Amino acid sequence: MALGVGLTALRQGAVLGTTALRRRLLVSLEINNKDKSYEWFLAWMAHQAGEPSKGNVALRSAPWVRSHQLSVETTVEQRKNGSSSAAFKLVAGPGNHYINYKGAWMQVKRERETRSMQLMSGVPWETVTLTTLSRDQNLFPQLLSEARELAMRGQEGKLVIHTAWGIEWRPFGQPRQKRPIQSVVLEPGVAQRIESDIKTFLERRQWYADRGIPYRRGYLLHGPPGSGKTSFIQALAGSLSYDICLLNLSERGLADDKLFHLLSNVPERSFVLVEDVDAAFNKRVQTSEDGYQSSVTFSGFLNALDGVASGEERIIFMTTNHVEKLDPALIRPGRVDISELINDASPKQARILFERFYGEGERVAGISNKEVEKISEQLENIVHDEMQNGRRISMAALQGLFIRNNAQEAIATCRDLFTTRTIAPL
Ligand code: ADP
């Protein structure tokens, strides 16, 4: 019996001893998925494994793959024209992994809490815990800043689009190449008016604060489809190094309280973009394409627009093809400060777009500058004539025409693309 007691005591002692030793010698860092660095860290780990698209070779040489537990993260990017692309990233799955970072071994433990979910977003809680020897703890900040730099490098000079995930904003798809603002050809003066308004607004934070006015600005771009509303907003965001938070009011499961939360927690330096705002509320009840009625109410939307804490910056852009359907309560100052008509192609716009496409000189377009000048003048006259007869063409249709044809073909066939419009003339 004495031996038994002795052995038990010894075993317990050993366990306590190991725990104490662990505590003294090891140091852990916990990152949970509420923190931005969580995504950065997983991406950094995936990066250590090499590009997944390069296949297994890169994976075999990865320092952490010995763990055999991988998860795949797929980002699908759906473009407006219907095409989509998917990118895969292999990240460390739940379980234990070991990495060697600058000569120090680290244990990476990824855990998922299956019993409780994050309130409202429904995403399970996750943590990764990095454990290493105490003497190597100075490597943690280095590793994290490397991970952050990697994440930032991927986004530099790019436009990031966020979408709502429950009550959170998350980057959607890969960061996109910025579009030069001059590539969106609007009526002379329109782009400049919006640009200078927003720049003035951004310089007046203190002015708003001193007067206790909520620091927010709303823009409404209205006009027929394919006139460049969305393209302009994206280009403008890019030129100011802002991101875009795309808000879809018809999204299933979006309710007033979630909307309020989303609009009060927009990531820094982002525009909120609400497209086709008329479709969402034309009858003050909101119906998605398949007839599903979401629980965002019109008054809930107005509340969310107004309810941002003063001092916090909020810039919202709304687009619509039918401004006449909008409730006047939505377009009053404070909610929409600037409203601009972005119309079908005017003669001047058509000419400028034509010159952008074919005016690169003989080398690219196989057409002399003189000829470009001549044909663009013809096009300007055609658009003018057609407008006299109440017929218009969208900028998107012109773009399609110029992509598919050479200059002579484009001018010869363009009249077929004009349609009768009842929309307000210029
Ligand atoms: P909207 O939001 O008004 O429906 P988009 O911005 O989505 O229009 O434009 C659709 C397509 O047409 C884009 O590929 C864009 O490049 C082109 N486009 C439309 N308007 C213009 C414009 N004013 N200048 C240059 N391209 C345009």
Side-chain angles (χ1 to χ4, degrees):
M1 204 175 91
L3 192 68
V5 172
L7 277 177
T8 313
L10 212 62
R11 200 176 330 128
Q12 275 179 353
V15 171
L16 284 176
T18 336
T19 317
L21 211 62
R22 251 180 93 86
R23 282 218 186 106
R24 273 192 81 80
L25 289 180
L26 299 178
V27 50
S28 294
L29 171 78
E30 189 188 278
I31 315 172
N32 73 37
N33 60 344
K34 261 202 93 56
D35 197 273
K36 277 201 185 96
S37 53
Y38 186 81
E39 287 297 324
W40 298 343
F41 176 74
L42 286 188
W44 176 86
M45 248 180 108
H47 187 77
Q48 306 303 303
E51 286 295 312
S53 54
K54 284 183 195 148
N56 288 335
V57 184
L59 284 174
R60 238 178 279 131
S61 63
W64 52 273
V65 183
R66 47 184 80 225
S67 57
H68 300 295
Q69 286 150 320
L70 302 176
S71 295
V72 62
E73 269 187 14
T74 314
T75 33
V76 180
E77 192 183 345
Q78 181 91 39
R79 300 192 198 91
K80 242 190 150 183
N81 63 10
S83 70
S84 62
S85 60
F88 301 106
K89 197 164 63 182
L90 291 181
V91 298
N96 285 329
H97 310 267
Y98 296 91
I99 53 170
N100 190 297
Y101 178 64
K102 300 201 169 163
W105 279 100
M106 293 184 183
Q107 185 198 45
V108 179
K109 190 171 175 190
R110 183 172 173 193
E111 289 170 297
R112 185 170 290 160
E113 172 66 73
T114 44
R115 273 163 302 164
S116 64
M117 302 276 178
Q118 286 186 32
L119 198 68
M120 296 167 98
S121 68
V123 177
W125 290 107
E126 287 191 7
T127 44
V128 278
T129 313
L130 307 182
T131 309
T132 191
L133 290 173
S134 301
R135 54 157 206 192
D136 294 324
Q137 59 180 293
N138 59 333
L139 290 178
F140 285 156
Q142 285 183 37
L143 189 156
L144 287 177
S145 62
E146 231 177 69
R148 188 193 57 207
E149 258 166 48
L150 184 76
M152 295 297 139
R153 216 181 314 139
Q155 297 180 0
E156 221 167 77
K158 301 245 172 102
L159 175 72
V160 180
I161 309 245
H162 302 262
T163 50
W165 253 78
I167 52 161
E168 272 177 34
W169 292 103
R170 294 222 192 142
F172 176 72
Q174 298 298 318
R176 300 158 193 220
Q177 212 64 41
K178 283 183 186 173
R179 177 175 180 155
I181 200 151
Q182 311 84 326
S183 76
V184 187
V185 183
L186 302 185
E187 264 296 277
V190 175
Q192 292 77 354
R193 268 201 297 282
I194 301 174
E195 252 184 298
S196 79
D197 184 88
I198 204 162
K199 283 185 180 153
T200 313
F201 170 76
L202 292 174
E203 285 162 8
R204 293 176 87 190
R205 181 186 283 271
Q206 197 53 45
W207 188 92
Y208 278 79
D210 292 346
R211 285 155 188 79
I213 310 172
Y215 189 48
R216 57 174 188 238
R217 200 88 179 145
Y219 299 86
L220 175 72
L221 305 190
H222 59 97
S227 51
K229 299 181 288 298
T230 310
S231 308
F232 176 71
I233 296 165
Q234 293 195 357
L236 182 64
S239 80
L240 297 170
S241 296
Y242 267 60
D243 290 349
I244 293 222
C245 290
L246 199 58
L247 183 62
N248 177 5
L249 293 170
S250 320
E251 192 170 293
R252 273 166 200 263
L254 188 66
D256 286 354
D257 53 346
K258 284 189 187 177
L259 181 66
F260 193 89
H261 191 275
L262 280 169
L263 280 184
S264 355
N265 288 286
V266 174
E268 272 174 36
R269 292 189 78 84
S270 313
F271 293 170
V272 177
L273 172 57
V274 188
E275 288 191 292
D276 300 325
V277 70
D278 62 288
F281 293 116
N282 48 19
K283 285 185 257 22
R284 286 208 179 215
V285 177
Q286 227 227 306
T287 317
S288 69
E289 278 165 11
D290 57 359
Y292 171 84
Q293 294 206 339
S294 109
S295 37
V296 173
T297 63
F298 185 67
S299 63
F301 180 49
L302 295 186
N303 254 339
L305 285 182
D306 298 343
V308 71
S310 56
E312 273 173 43
E313 172 189 304
R314 217 248 352 255
I315 301 172
I316 192 158
F317 277 87
M318 293 182 244
T319 69
T320 177
N321 299 335
H322 302 283
V323 70
E324 70 288 349
K325 287 191 192 165
L326 290 186
D327 195 302
L330 183 62
I331 13 188
R332 67 147 218 242
R335 292 179 184 141
V336 168
D337 301 283
I338 301 274
S339 170
E340 287 282 353
L341 168 67
I342 314 285
N343 214 334
D344 283 322
S346 72
K348 192 108 203 113
Q349 274 173 283
R351 182 177 183 155
I352 298 174
L353 194 70
F354 181 89
E355 287 168 355
R356 290 269 150 80
F357 266 81
Y358 302 105
E360 305 236 350
E362 281 138 284
R363 189 176 48 83
V364 178
I367 174 174
S368 70
N369 286 343
K370 232 172 134 193
E371 211 164 340
V372 169
E373 168 104 25
K374 198 181 96 202
I375 303 182
S376 65
E377 207 177 304
Q378 276 175 17
L379 179 67
E380 194 176 342
N381 291 333
I382 291 177
V383 178
H384 188 266
D385 281 358
E386 293 283 342
M387 274 175 74
Q388 301 300 313
N389 301 322
R391 284 156 55 82
R392 314 272 322 234
I393 187 168
S394 73
M395 289 296 275
L398 276 178
Q399 175 186 272
L401 178 75
F402 298 159
I403 290 174
R404 289 191 305 270
N405 300 287
N406 66 31
Q408 288 82 1
E409 287 162 0
I411 193 79
T413 56
C414 71
R415 279 195 195 261
D416 302 341
L417 296 173
F418 283 79
T419 52
T420 309
R421 297 287 167 117
T422 45
I423 219 142
L426 280 176

